[in-house]
Amino acid sequence: MKILVLNGPNINMLGIREPEIYGSDSYKDLLELIAAHAQDKGVAVEFYQSNHEGSLVDEIQKAYFSGVDGIVFNPAAYTHTSVAIADAVKGVVIPTVEVHISEVSEREDFRQVSYVRAACVKTICGHGFAGYTEAIDYLIRYIGEKNEG
Ligand code: DQA
């Protein structure tokens, strides 16, 4: 099983950006946590982060052609603005879990909209970095059940 962990704008600045919201651990720490978890679970993970909307769309399309089984996706600010990213996720029909480090439901009004949510099989918010590993576990179960049925 191959899972793509996709992160949107400013996620590469974890540990520096608003630590009171996102914590003091870095993007590298996040990748190490996910890689160790994936290894434990016996799944292959690929990572991609971009600050650019079109690059994220390109990567989602690439995932389709390279046979990615599931996507863990934190679109960051593009969650609240991007129809193009939502369309890309919908279009490839790869099971995708939307992840947010912070509890977006308790934040500003403009964060209450998620264009991508309707294209995702699950949303995990406010669990910090653990949200990513929970998303991997969810996808392992989800894809396993889909393959059985
Ligand atoms: C975020 C929440 C978004 O509203 C914000 O723009 C981010 C990070 C999160 O992980 O909590 O950049 O997706």
Side-chain angles (χ1 to χ4, degrees):
M1 190 180 296
K2 189 160 73 171
I3 293 178
L4 170 66
V5 179
L6 194 55
N7 279 291
N10 301 304
I11 299 297
N12 57 321
M13 296 296 279
L14 287 172
I16 297 165
R17 73 180 291 214
E18 302 178 273
E20 65 290 358
I21 296 176
Y22 301 110
S24 53
D25 288 342
S26 68
Y27 177 61
K28 187 169 165 276
D29 295 330
L30 174 65
L31 300 196
E32 284 171 5
L33 174 84
I34 298 169
H37 187 78
Q39 198 179 10
D40 267 6
K41 300 283 170 167
V43 298
V45 272
E46 289 172 1
F47 298 107
Y48 184 80
Q49 187 277 331
S50 178
N51 297 322
H52 305 277
E53 185 175 18
S55 302
L56 293 164
V57 171
D58 286 344
E59 193 63 22
I60 293 163
Q61 293 180 2
K62 213 176 97 193
Y64 175 81
F65 293 107
S66 66
V68 164
D69 300 293
I71 301 176
V72 174
F73 192 14
N74 183 350
Y78 287 136
T79 308
H80 319 299
T81 62
S82 178
V83 176
I85 285 175
D87 282 351
V89 174
K90 236 176 252 170
V92 295
V93 204
I94 298 171
T96 299
V97 177
E98 176 190 13
V99 173
H100 299 286
I101 296 163
S102 66
E103 185 48 86
V104 278
S105 68
E106 291 170 5
R107 298 182 63 194
E108 301 92 326
D109 285 352
F110 64 84
R111 293 185 209 275
Q112 302 315 311
V113 173
S114 169
Y115 287 98
V116 82
R117 192 153 304 169
C120 293
V121 294
K122 190 176 175 59
T123 297
I124 299 170
C125 293
H127 295 186
F129 285 10
Y132 289 85
T133 53
E134 288 167 27
I136 287 181
D137 293 344
Y138 185 88
L139 282 172
I140 292 170
R141 280 197 306 275
Y142 184 92
I143 294 162
E145 281 164 19
K146 215 175 62 170
N147 290 346
E148 276 166 27

